[in-house]
Amino acid sequence: MSRNNERNIKKHNDKLHKAQDKAKQAEMLRKEKLKQIVKKFNEDKSSENN
């Protein structure tokens, strides 16, 4: 009986892909938050100059 049977490989890949998707989602969320912060900062900065 081999440990590398189809079911175990699929289970491992599903777990791996789920983790990768989670990491990718977190990275996108961070970038989105950063965009919002930069946008707000720029708005505040431009209002100070006026």
Side-chain angles (χ1 to χ4, degrees), residues 25-46:
Q25 190 67 30
E27 185 180 337
M28 284 173 51
L29 220 140
R30 279 195 302 274
K31 284 183 180 178
E32 198 58 43
K33 282 184 181 176
L34 183 63
K35 270 188 205 172
Q36 294 297 326
I37 291 169
V38 168
K39 186 176 176 185
K40 183 158 177 37
F41 177 77
N42 288 337
E43 286 173 356
D44 290 349
K45 196 125 178 136
S46 67

Side-chain angles (χ1 to χ4, degrees), residues 1-39:
M1 188 75 182
S2 165
R3 277 199 246 167
N4 289 336
N5 61 28
E6 284 298 314
R7 202 183 78 209
N8 287 345
I9 291 171
K10 182 181 179 343
K11 197 184 292 185
H12 171 76
N13 286 341
D14 288 348
K15 194 173 179 182
L16 180 67
H17 294 149
K18 189 175 182 182
Q20 288 173 341
D21 288 344
K22 191 174 178 182
K24 194 180 287 184
Q25 190 67 30
E27 185 180 337
M28 284 173 51
L29 220 140
R30 279 195 302 274
K31 284 183 180 178
E32 198 58 43
K33 282 184 181 176
L34 183 63
K35 270 188 205 172
Q36 294 297 326
I37 291 169
V38 168
K39 186 176 176 185

